[in-house]
Amino acid sequence: MSAPLLETKKVSMVFGGLVAVRDVDMQIEEGEIFGLIGPNGAGKTTLFNMVSGVLKPTSGRLIFAGKDYTGLPAHLVCRQGIVHTHQVVRPFRNMTVYDNVRVGLQFGGREHARRESTHDQVMEILEYVGMAGRAQELARGLPIGYLKRLEIARALATRPRLLLLDEVMGGLGPTEIDATMDLIRRIRDSGITIFMIEHHMRAVMGISDRIMVLHHGETIALGTPREVSQNPVVIEAYLGESAV
Amino acid sequence: MRKYWPFMLLFAMVVLPLFLGLAPNLDLGFFSYYYFLNLGFITFVFVAQAVAWNILGGYGGQISFGYSAFFGLGAYTTAVLWGMYHWPMVLTFPVAGLVGVIFAIIIGLPTFRLTGPYFSIATLGIGEAMRVLMLNINSLGGASGMNLPTTIPGKMWFYYAGLILVSGTLAVSAWVRQSKFGLALFALNMDQNAAASLGVNVALYKNLAHMLGAFIVGMSGGLYATYFQYIHPDQVFGFQASISLVLMPVIGGVGTLWGPVLGGTIYYFLEDTLLSSLPSLHLLVYGVLLVLIIVLEPNGLLGMAARVQRWWRARQKEHTVAFPDAGKGALP
Amino acid sequence: MAYTSQDLLTVLVAAVLTAGIYAAMSYGLSIIYGVMKIINLSNAGVMMLGAFTTFELFRRAHMDPFLASLIVFVFYFSLGLVMYRLLVRRVVTSPPISSLLLLFGVWLVIQNIAILIWGNQDESILSKYTFATVSVLGLPVSVTRLVVFFVSIVALGLVYFFLTHTYTGMAIRATAQNRDAARLVGIDVEKSFMIAFALGTALAAFAGSLLSTIYSFNPDFGRVFQLKSFSIIVLGGLESLPGVAIGAIILSFIESLSIFVMRASMQNFLAFTILVVALVVLPNGVAGLWQRGRG
Ligand SMILES: Nc1ncnc2c1ncn2[C@@H]1O[C@H](COP(=O)(O)OP(=O)(O)OP(=O)(O)O)[C@@H](O)[C@H]1O
Ligand SMILES: [Mg+2]
C-alpha cells in the first residue's frame, strides 16, 4: 500500500485553557474525498487550520506526502500543495473576481514561479466553477453563493494536491448544493484529494468515501458514511447536542 | 485622449521653466521664474516621498509614521560623503537611498513577522530616536547641524533633478500597481491571512515595499540636503517631516496612483500660504481633513471628486429621463 | 566622575517612583487596545490636554493640582464618551488603518488647537509641594513625586477593581477576550467599547495631569510620553495590567540607570531601542515569557 497523502500524528491545539483539538490521528489517501463532521465547536476548523499551517499545533506532527511539515508557515504549506477555503468567506473584497483568482495562481502551489500566460488560466478556472461571466465584478458585491465558489476557485488556482473545504455548502439552497456536490466530484476526478468539513448531512454522506467524526476535539468515529451514520456514539454526540 | 494627460502634465512641467526663463526677473507672483523653480523643486521632492510612502502605506495598508528616519539618514549620508569625503555629489544619492534601505530592514524584519500593530507602533518612535541620536553625535555636527559644500548647481538643475525623481517614482509606483508585487500588496492589505493561505509571503512583500519606499525617500533626503546646504536633526528627523508623509497621500487618496500627487501639491501650496501667517493652522486644517476623510470618504479628495462627478452625471440624467429606473424593478 | 552607592540608591528610589506614573499613563492605551484592538494615537493629545487643564485650574481657580487631577479624570471620561459616539464608533470594526489614521488626525487637531490657545512655549506648575522634600531611607525625596506615585498606584488599583469586580468591568473584560462570544451571551459589546474608550481617555488625561506637577509641558508634551507608553505596553504584551506594570518598571529602571553611562538627552533613543529589542527577543512581551513558562 502506498503512503497516505496526509497524515496527522497526535495533533493537539490548546487555546489558553481550552483544548480545542486533542491527539487526533488520521490518514487521508490520495484521491479520496474525506469528510469531517461534528457538532458546533468540535474543533473541525481548528484541525483544518493546523493542517494548512495557519495555526501551529501545540503538540503532534503533520506529514504531507511523506514529509514532516509541522510548523511550516502558511504560505509555504500552500506551496507544497495544501490549500484551504474559509468557513466564513474571506474574499479580497475590493478586488475583482479575476484578480482574486490571480492571487492564487501567481503565488500558490508548487509551480507558482514558473507560471505564465495567466489570463487563459484564470478564465479556465472561472469557467470550471461557473463564474466566467462575473470575472470583472468586484468581490464585495457578490451574493454568498458566488463568494463560496470564489473561495473554491481561488484555492484551485494554486493547483493543490490536497484541497480543504470548510463548509462550502453552508447557506446554499438545494440546487446550489447539488451543483456544488457535482463540482467537488469533478475536482476529485481531476486528481485532487479532498478533505471537507460539512454540516449538511445529505451532501457529506452522499459524497464522501470516508468520514471522521470529531467531538470535543477528539475523534469518536471513523469509517464509511454508512458505518458512521449507524455508530451509536455518533448518534449520541449529535442527539446530546440537540437536547441541550 | 484621457490616457495621455500625465504626459501632457509632464511636458508642461518640462517646458514651463524654459518659458519663464525668457524673462527671469519679471514678477508674476506664483509664476515668477525663481519662485516657480523653488516651489517646483520642493513640491517634486515631497510629492516623490508621498508617492513612495503610498507603496507600502497605500497599496499594502501598512501605516508608517517613521519615514523621516529615511529622509534624515539620506540627508546625513550625502552630507558626510560629499562634504567630508568629497565624493561626487550625484553619486551620493543612491548611497543615501541604500542607507535608508538598510535601516528599513532593521525596522521591518522584527515587526513585519508579527501580527498586530507593532510596525506602526515602532515607526512612531523611529524619527524621534534618530533625531536624539544625531543631536548627540558630535562628529556629525551634533546639535549644531551640518553645513554642506556651497558649490552646487543652479536652481534650474535642481528643478529638473526633482522632476526626474518624481517622474521616476511615479513610474515605479505605476509599475508596482499592475505587477505581481502589487497584487501581493493589495491582497495582504485586504486580508493578510487569506493572502498567506494562498501562498503570498506576506512578510517578504511588506519588507520589499518598505525597502523600496526607503530607497526613494533616502535619495530625496540627499537631494534636499544639497539644495539647502545645511541640515539639522530637528529638521530632517522631525516629527513634522513624518507627519506630512502620512497626510499627503491620505488626503489625496490613499492607495491610488495620483492621490499622493494631488495631496502633496495641495499640501505645499497650503503650507506656503498658511505657514507664514499661522503655522499651526496648516496642520489643524490637515488634521480636520484627515478626520473628515476617514469618517466620510476613505478615498480622500480623489474619492470625493469621483463622488461629485457621479452625482453630477446622475443629475444630468435626471433632466433627460424622468424615471430612470422605470420598467426595471418588480412591483412592491 | 565617580558614583557612590548613595547615588545608586537615589536613582533606584527615583526609578520606583517614576514606574508608578509610567504604569498609570500606559494602562489607558493598554485597555483600549485590549478591548477594541485599536491603537489610540489621540492618547498623546489627551495627556497634554490633561496637563493644560490642570494648569488652568491651578492658575485661574488656584486649585490644588491633585484635586484638579480628579476633576480632569471625570471631565475627560465624559469627553471620551463623546469622542467614541462621534468618531471612534465608526472605525471599531474597520481595518486597523482607519482607526490609526482617524485617531492620528484627532491628535493633530488637539495639538494644534492647543498651540493656538497656549502657544508653543513651556509651562510648569509651581505649587506649594514643588520644592518640598521628605526623607525616605535617609534620602531626600520630592513630595510631589511621592504623592504622584501613590495617587497613580491607587488609581490603577481602583480601575483594576472596577474591571474585575463590577458587572460592567467584567463585561468589558469579556469583550476583550472574545467579542463575538461576549455578544452571544448577551453582553452589550458596544457599551463595553464606549466605556473602555472613555476610561482609557480619562486615564491618559489623569496621567497628564499628574505629570504636569513634575515636568514642564507644551502642546507637544504628550508625544514623548506616548512613545514611552508604547515601549511599556509592548514590553508588557499589550493587554494586561501586570504586563504594563512590569514594562513600566523595566523602562523606568533602564532609563534611570542609563544616566550612569549616557547623557540624559538620549532617553528617547533608549526607549525606542528597548522597544525594537523587545520585539526581536520577546515578541509577546514579558507577559508572553511568563505564559510560556507556565504552559
Ligand atoms: N483562535 C482561537 N482562540 C481561542 N479559542 C478558539 C480559537 N479558535 C477556536 N477556538 C475555540 O475552539 C473550539 C473549536 O472551534 P472550531 O472553530 O474549531 O469548531 P468547529 O468544529 O469548526 O465549529 P463550527 O461547526 O461551529 O464551525 C471552540 O470552542 C472555539 O471557541
Ligand atoms: Mg468551523
Side-chain angles (χ1 to χ4, degrees):
Chain A
M1 206 186 96
S2 68
L5 183 64
L6 177 76
E7 187 175 5
T8 70
K9 287 187 175 165
K10 290 201 170 307
V11 289
S12 302
M13 188 73 221
V14 185
F15 294 117
L18 175 89
V19 185
V21 173
R22 186 194 301 271
D23 293 338
V24 168
D25 279 309
M26 59 171 214
Q27 303 188 336
I28 297 181
E29 304 298 332
E30 181 125 38
E32 74 175 326
I33 297 181
F34 190 93
L36 177 61
I37 63 172
N40 287 113
K44 305 181 294 294
T45 300
T46 306
L47 180 59
F48 259 37
N49 283 339
M50 288 189 286
V51 171
S52 61
V54 173
L55 291 173
K56 187 169 181 274
T58 317
S59 63
R61 315 298 312 171
L62 297 161
I63 292 139
F64 182 66
K67 230 175 93 189
D68 188 323
Y69 72 98
T70 322
L72 204 64
H75 71 275
L76 293 181
V77 173
C78 174
R79 289 179 186 182
Q80 289 209 327
I82 303 178
V83 69
H84 72 124
T85 66
H86 300 93
Q87 177 175 356
V88 180
V89 290
R90 293 174 78 162
F92 302 120
R93 303 179 59 80
N94 296 330
M95 276 188 198
T96 57
V97 166
Y98 184 96
D99 281 343
N100 264 275
V101 173
R102 203 154 69 91
V103 174
L105 206 55
Q106 298 222 303
F107 296 96
R110 284 156 293 168
E111 297 104 28
H112 67 96
R114 276 181 278 123
R115 276 186 206 132
E116 290 149 22
S117 71
T118 53
H119 177 75
D120 293 345
Q121 299 185 37
V122 172
M123 292 317 291
E124 191 184 307
I125 286 162
L126 284 175
E127 248 149 50
Y128 191 76
V129 301
M131 286 182 74
R134 296 194 174 241
Q136 294 309 326
E137 284 180 36
L138 286 184
R140 63 163 182 245
L142 292 175
I144 182 69
Y146 280 106
L147 287 173
K148 295 254 173 191
R149 290 240 154 164
L150 181 57
E151 285 277 336
I152 300 179
R154 234 168 38 166
L156 282 179
T158 68
R159 309 283 186 215
R161 287 178 75 185
L162 176 64
L163 175 61
L164 312 184
L165 300 172
D166 196 343
E167 293 193 30
V168 287
M169 307 203 195
L172 302 189
T175 42
E176 286 173 315
I177 288 183
D178 287 338
T180 307
M181 282 172 70
D182 176 57
L183 175 65
I184 294 173
R185 283 203 194 92
R186 278 191 292 140
I187 294 172
R188 190 267 304 270
D189 293 342
S190 73
I192 297 170
T193 308
I194 306 243
F195 181 16
M196 62 185 289
I197 296 176
E198 196 46 71
H199 271 305
H200 193 278
M201 281 304 153
R202 180 176 64 83
V204 71
M205 291 292 168
I207 203 175
S208 306
D209 298 310
R210 287 193 299 155
I211 290 180
M212 182 167 101
V213 189
L214 217 54
H215 187 39
H216 293 315
E218 292 180 80
T219 312
I220 56 168
L222 172 67
T224 62
R226 169 180 283 272
E227 288 163 7
V228 164
S229 61
Q230 289 167 357
N231 186 324
V233 185
V234 175
I235 295 166
E236 166 75 11
Y238 273 90
L239 283 181
E241 191 206 30
S242 57
V244 170
Chain B
M1 203 60 219
R2 250 180 97 80
K3 251 172 53 189
Y4 295 113
W5 71 265
F7 297 102
M8 282 152 59
L9 186 66
L10 180 63
F11 182 73
M13 289 293 128
V14 170
V15 298
L16 207 50
L18 302 179
F19 269 110
L20 295 174
L22 294 176
N25 294 319
L26 196 63
D27 184 4
L28 295 170
F30 188 71
F31 280 107
S32 299
Y33 184 58
Y34 292 110
Y35 185 79
F36 183 79
L37 288 184
N38 182 52
L39 189 72
F41 171 74
I42 295 175
T43 309
F44 291 153
V45 167
F46 286 96
V47 167
Q49 293 183 17
V51 174
W53 183 94
N54 191 50
I55 295 173
L56 177 69
Y59 302 163
Q62 309 297 310
I63 303 298
S64 168
F65 296 96
Y67 272 48
S68 73
F70 310 137
F71 182 62
L73 281 170
Y76 269 91
T77 304
T78 289
V80 169
L81 291 180
W82 185 35
M84 293 167 133
Y85 292 96
H86 310 293
W87 281 37
M89 183 182 82
V90 179
L91 272 190
T92 66
F93 300 150
V95 183
L98 284 177
V99 172
V101 170
I102 292 169
F103 202 67
I105 296 175
I106 296 176
I107 302 305
L109 279 188
T111 53
F112 282 140
R113 74 196 162 103
L114 306 170
T115 46
Y118 294 100
F119 174 69
S120 293
I121 290 184
T123 60
L124 274 163
I126 302 176
E128 177 67 11
M130 292 311 295
R131 185 182 74 87
V132 167
L133 185 67
M134 283 300 172
L135 281 175
N136 284 284
I137 298 184
N138 290 335
S139 57
L140 296 179
S144 26
M146 263 181 106
N147 283 306
L148 279 81
T150 50
T151 51
I152 53 166
K155 280 206 165 18
M156 183 82 126
W157 186 92
F158 278 103
Y159 178 90
Y160 285 111
L163 188 57
I164 291 172
L165 180 71
V166 78
S167 324
T169 307
L170 260 172
V172 168
S173 177
W175 171 80
V176 169
R177 275 184 83 80
Q178 52 76 51
S179 69
K180 181 174 171 177
F181 180 20
L183 188 65
L185 291 175
F186 285 121
L188 71 88
N189 182 356
M190 283 173 232
D191 191 327
Q192 191 160 316
N193 293 330
S197 293
L198 292 171
V200 179
N201 186 344
V202 171
L204 174 74
Y205 287 105
K206 286 185 195 170
N207 272 306
L208 285 178
H210 195 213
M211 285 153 63
L212 183 58
F215 185 75
I216 294 166
V217 174
M219 284 215 300
S220 73
L223 190 60
Y224 176 92
T226 52
Y227 185 76
F228 286 99
Q229 298 161 35
Y230 171 74
I231 52 175
H232 187 275
D234 287 351
Q235 167 204 14
V236 293
F237 289 110
F239 195 48
Q240 173 94 34
S242 284
I243 293 180
S244 58
L245 277 193
V246 180
L247 289 175
M248 290 185 277
V250 177
I251 304 260
V254 70
T256 62
L257 180 61
W258 290 96
V261 180
L262 180 67
T265 312
I266 296 176
Y267 189 90
Y268 275 88
F269 185 72
L270 261 188
E271 178 168 281
D272 208 56
T273 46
L274 289 181
L275 197 61
S276 42
S277 46
L278 272 173
S280 60
L281 210 56
H282 172 233
L283 283 180
L284 183 61
V285 168
Y286 261 77
V288 171
L289 260 177
L290 184 53
V291 170
L292 288 179
I293 275 171
I294 299 299
V295 172
L296 301 176
E297 176 52 70
N299 291 327
L301 293 177
L302 281 186
M304 286 187 189
R307 238 185 234 207
V308 171
Q309 201 178 19
R310 273 198 303 276
W311 170 80
W312 182 252
R313 289 224 181 103
R315 234 178 74 116
Q316 303 286 73
K317 263 191 206 140
E318 257 171 56
H319 285 291
T320 49
V321 187
F323 301 101
D325 290 323
K328 269 193 200 159
L331 288 172
Chain C
M1 198 155 66
Y3 297 100
T4 63
S5 58
Q6 187 77 1
D7 290 328
L8 186 64
L9 195 61
T10 313
V11 165
L12 291 182
V13 170
V16 171
L17 295 183
T18 308
I21 179 68
Y22 274 11
M25 77 180 179
S26 310
Y27 194 40
L29 267 182
S30 167
I31 291 177
I32 292 179
Y33 182 77
V35 177
M36 308 168 74
K37 300 291 177 282
I38 64 180
I39 293 294
N40 180 17
L41 292 181
S42 71
N43 211 59
V46 171
M47 235 189 262
M48 175 270 297
L49 283 185
F52 273 100
T53 312
T54 310
F55 175 66
E56 291 297 341
L57 287 173
F58 172 75
R59 187 171 66 166
R60 295 186 195 277
H62 306 290
M63 192 183 279
D64 182 285
F66 293 108
L67 181 62
S69 69
L70 293 182
I71 295 180
V72 163
F73 187 96
V74 175
F75 179 75
Y76 284 94
F77 187 88
S78 331
L79 188 79
L81 294 179
V82 174
M83 272 170 73
Y84 181 83
R85 294 293 305 171
L86 277 183
L87 299 171
V88 182
R89 185 166 57 89
R90 300 163 199 268
V91 295
V92 179
T93 52
S94 320
I97 173 169
S98 308
S99 53
L100 211 53
L101 290 172
L102 176 77
L103 291 160
F104 177 62
V106 171
W107 175 19
L108 275 185
V109 171
I110 293 178
Q111 181 172 350
N112 289 289
I113 289 180
I115 294 176
L116 288 178
I117 299 178
W118 289 289
N120 244 329
Q121 70 275 20
D122 287 353
E123 303 285 357
S124 54
I125 292 179
L126 292 179
S127 70
K128 55 181 184 285
Y129 314 106
T130 306
F131 298 109
T133 58
V134 289
S135 173
V136 174
L137 302 170
L139 300 167
V141 173
S142 147
V143 171
T144 320
R145 284 180 169 263
L146 214 53
V147 177
V148 164
F149 175 76
F150 282 112
V151 174
S152 302
I153 300 297
V154 170
L156 282 177
L158 287 176
V159 170
Y160 195 64
F161 181 83
F162 165 74
L163 289 177
T164 48
H165 285 81
T166 63
Y167 175 78
T168 314
M170 288 193 268
I172 289 176
R173 287 197 310 145
T175 309
Q177 286 255 314
N178 185 335
R179 61 178 77 159
D180 296 322
R183 201 173 275 128
L184 278 180
V185 299
I187 289 172
D188 185 348
V189 169
E190 180 79 0
K191 189 176 153 207
S192 295
F193 288 159
M194 184 163 79
I195 300 208
F197 189 81
L199 193 59
T201 303
L203 264 176
F206 180 70
S209 176
L210 294 181
L211 285 167
S212 74
T213 63
I214 306 178
Y215 303 103
S216 63
F217 46 91
N218 60 36
D220 195 28
F221 158 80
R223 188 163 58 90
V224 170
F225 287 101
Q226 171 142 299
L227 294 180
K228 293 184 184 189
S229 297
F230 281 136
S231 302
I232 288 167
I233 66 172
V234 166
L235 276 171
L238 298 183
E239 300 190 26
S240 71
L241 180 59
V244 166
I246 295 171
I249 291 170
I250 293 178
L251 182 69
S252 148
F253 270 74
I254 294 184
E255 274 186 358
S256 304
L257 292 174
S258 75
I259 63 162
F260 292 113
V261 292
M262 62 167 77
R263 296 183 213 171
S265 62
M266 295 277 283
Q267 276 198 355
N268 291 342
F269 179 72
L270 194 68
F272 174 74
T273 311
I274 291 172
L275 189 148
V276 172
V277 171
L279 287 177
V280 176
V281 296
L282 299 170
N284 296 315
V286 188
L289 197 70
W290 173 50
Q291 268 168 9
R292 215 181 304 157
R294 281 190 312 176

